[in-house]
Amino acid sequence: MSYFVETYLDNDVSIFSRSMWNHYETDHTRTINHLEGRHATLNRTICRPHPNIFILIKELKNQQQNFELDIITQKKCNQAPKMRKKYKTLEDRLKTGKER
C-alpha cells in the first residue's frame, strides 16, 4: 500500500502526478487501444517477427499514405469517423455521470 501511495497518490512525494494518470476530466481517448490497433495492423501486414528495416520502412510509408488519403476523404465529406455503438453508449454514460 505504501508503494502505491508514494508512487501515485501523495502529491508531495509521488513519482507520477495525479493529472498524468487520472482521466476523470478526459473527454475522449482514455486508453492506448488505438496504438495497440496500429501495432496489430503493422504486424499483420508485415507477417514476419523480425522484418528487415527496408520492409518496415516500405510498410510504414504505405500506411502513412493510406492515413493521409483517409484524412482527405473525411475532410471532403465533413464527417468524423464513426464510433461503434457500444463505445458511443459508454461515452454518453461517462459524460452523464460527470455532469451529475
Side-chain angles (χ1 to χ4, degrees):
M1 184 67 170
S2 64
Y3 166 79
F4 183 78
V5 170
E6 291 171 2
T7 305
Y8 297 104
L9 292 181
D10 189 358
N11 283 331
D12 295 332
V13 294
S14 64
I15 296 170
F16 303 105
S17 67
R18 227 176 257 175
S19 63
M20 180 186 286
W21 60 265
N22 184 346
H23 288 278
Y24 177 76
E25 296 294 329
T26 303
D27 287 331
H28 297 288
T29 305
R30 288 178 299 280
T31 65
I32 59 168
N33 289 344
H34 57 290
L35 295 176
E36 294 296 337
R38 176 141 196 236
H39 292 156
T41 300
L42 189 60
N43 286 335
R44 268 194 314 273
T45 55
I46 292 178
C47 297
R48 293 183 183 187
H50 303 286
N52 70 39
I53 191 71
F54 301 107
I55 292 173
L56 180 62
I57 290 171
K58 181 179 177 185
E59 185 54 38
L60 289 172
K61 284 182 177 181
N62 287 339
Q63 287 189 4
Q64 179 66 28
Q65 184 177 20
N66 290 338
F67 180 71
E68 289 175 6
L69 289 172
D70 287 344
I71 289 175
I72 291 169
T73 303
Q74 288 174 9
K75 284 183 179 180
K76 286 184 179 181
C77 296
N78 292 326
Q79 292 179 352
K82 292 196 175 198
M83 188 183 293
R84 287 185 177 175
K85 184 179 178 182
K86 69 178 183 178
Y87 297 120
K88 177 73 173 129
T89 303
L90 285 173
E91 286 291 327
D92 292 342
R93 288 176 60 195
L94 281 171
K95 188 175 180 182
T96 303
K98 286 180 184 180
E99 290 171 355
R100 289 183 183 175

